[in-house]
Amino acid sequence: MSHNQPSPFDDPSNPFQDPSITSALNSNRQESSYHLEQDTINQHQDDFTTMLVDDSRSPPTAGGSAMRGAAHNDDLSAREEALRQKERELAAREEQLLQGRQRPASNNFPPCFPIMYLDITTEIPLNHQSTVWWLYREWLWFELTLVLNFMACLCLLFSHPESVTSAPTDLGIALTEMFTHTLASFFLWYRPVYNAYMKDVSLYYSKSLFFIFNGFHCLYTFYKAIGIPNTGGAGLILVVTLFTDKYIITGIIALLAAVSWIGMGCLAVYMYLQTYRHYKAAGHTFKEAKDDAYGRIGRSSTARDAAIGMASWNARR
């Protein structure tokens, strides 16, 4: 009974005591609590989803490391194989350039009647091409000098000065030397030094080939430049004699021959020294040349057949 009695502190004029207002306030509190709880649930779900995604992206610890290691090793192996292939290609290209394996099928030297193949730009290594070119110019200059010498001796025969009695002999020797010395100089010193620079073999530099014959060639040019009578040389002695006897035209031709002998001799000495320096710098020796010669003889079928025949003949005796 006393529960239903109004409180003395109740104020009828207080708006918060109105039942409609009180129920509206309680409804707002419940909605706020509901939204707060829903936001909390959504936040937990988002955190859980993020953890699942991170777990799915992270690779397995043991198996993944093994797979990565295998892939890395395969990649390194592929790179090493590519480098080795590149090295082989470069080595083959260098060997091809050094040895000049690519050559045309036909011979090209001499141009008038080709009997052999010569090509400095193809067969000679790049660092020696300049030297070989100058050796080739020396040989060409020698041929030109022989022609000038013959022409001087021919003019000497036709002018026939009284103080020169060796004109027929000089002309005959000059004509003979123009042909024989052309072949001899090519096969005795130019071709060996060409092969020496092409193959870098000590045998072609050795005393029995280039250095002896080219040394004689150097001495021969200065001997011809002197112009001793009855030697076939249009040299300084003949030039002085012709100008003294007032044979000006013949003297000028002889002077050109003498100057050519001297200039070509100086170039021959210079190239001889250049080749000798290269011979020493490369470490070649006469013993190496001798061993190489013995090896070539041993590999020759003709030499083996001759040795077998001689041994059979000695056994029958």
Side-chain angles (χ1 to χ4, degrees):
M1 299 287 293
S2 61
H3 180 72
N4 295 325
Q5 291 180 359
S7 174
F9 298 99
D10 292 338
D11 187 3
S13 62
N14 189 359
F16 293 100
Q17 297 295 329
D18 189 357
S20 61
I21 296 176
T22 303
S23 61
L25 289 174
N26 291 334
S27 175
N28 289 333
R29 288 194 193 100
Q30 289 177 359
E31 289 179 1
S32 299
S33 300
Y34 174 76
H35 287 300
L36 182 60
E37 290 177 359
Q38 188 67 29
D39 292 338
T40 305
I41 293 172
N42 292 336
Q43 182 67 33
H44 286 302
Q45 288 179 351
D46 292 340
D47 294 339
F48 182 71
T49 305
T50 304
M51 291 174 61
L52 290 178
V53 172
D54 291 339
D55 290 340
S56 65
R57 288 182 180 178
S58 61
T61 55
S65 299
M67 292 177 64
R68 284 200 307 271
H72 184 64
N73 291 334
D74 293 341
D75 187 36
L76 288 179
S77 300
R79 290 183 181 181
E80 290 177 0
E81 183 61 28
L83 289 175
R84 291 194 194 98
Q85 182 66 23
K86 191 67 175 178
E87 274 185 26
R88 287 191 292 267
E89 292 176 359
L90 291 175
R93 187 179 303 174
E94 182 179 2
E95 183 179 1
Q96 179 181 352
L97 290 175
L98 290 178
Q99 297 183 0
R101 295 189 180 277
Q102 288 185 348
R103 58 170 61 182
S106 59
N107 297 322
N108 63 348
F109 188 86
C112 56
F113 186 72
I115 59 174
M116 66 183 66
Y117 178 82
L118 291 177
D119 191 353
I120 296 176
T121 58
T122 301
E123 294 187 312
I124 305 300
L126 186 61
N127 54 334
H128 298 318
Q129 287 185 9
S130 176
T131 303
V132 179
W133 273 115
W134 277 107
L135 288 166
Y136 180 64
R137 294 185 183 105
E138 176 193 343
W139 181 76
L140 291 179
W141 195 352
F142 180 58
E143 309 313 311
L144 177 62
T145 305
L146 289 174
V147 173
L148 284 175
N149 184 75
F150 170 74
M151 292 177 62
C153 293
L154 183 63
C155 293
L156 178 65
L157 180 66
F158 283 108
S159 59
H160 194 66
E162 296 179 357
S163 57
V164 179
T165 59
S166 60
T169 305
D170 289 335
L171 179 63
I173 295 176
L175 180 62
T176 304
E177 290 179 347
M178 188 172 61
F179 292 102
T180 58
H181 286 38
T182 298
L183 296 176
S185 61
F186 181 84
F187 288 105
L188 292 180
W189 64 264
Y190 176 70
R191 182 63 177 176
V193 77
Y194 183 94
N195 290 335
Y197 278 104
M198 177 176 65
K199 301 177 181 179
D200 201 20
V201 178
S202 179
L203 174 64
Y204 296 107
Y205 292 104
S206 65
K207 297 178 181 178
S208 60
L209 291 175
F210 172 76
F211 289 126
I212 281 186
F213 291 115
N214 192 256
F216 278 122
H217 167 72
C218 295
L219 296 176
Y220 170 79
T221 55
F222 289 109
Y223 170 74
K224 286 292 186 179
I226 296 174
I228 301 174
N230 294 311
T231 60
L236 296 176
I237 295 177
L238 180 62
V239 171
V240 172
T241 303
L242 291 173
F243 278 111
T244 302
D245 293 344
K246 308 299 182 180
Y247 290 91
I248 305 300
I249 297 178
T250 306
I252 291 174
I253 297 175
L255 178 62
L256 290 176
V259 171
S260 185
W261 281 118
I262 295 173
M264 194 266 301
C266 294
L267 178 61
V269 172
Y270 176 75
M271 297 310 301
Y272 185 93
L273 295 176
Q274 286 290 103
T275 305
Y276 183 77
R277 292 191 191 100
H278 171 70
Y279 173 80
K280 288 298 184 182
H284 297 300
T285 61
F286 180 68
K287 182 179 181 302
E288 180 186 351
K290 184 172 64 175
D291 294 340
D292 187 54
Y294 288 157
R296 289 174 181 270
I297 293 174
R299 292 191 297 269
S300 174
S301 59
T302 305
R304 287 198 300 268
D305 294 341
I308 292 172
M310 185 175 293
S312 301
W313 182 74
N314 289 331
R316 285 195 299 270
R317 293 182 59 188

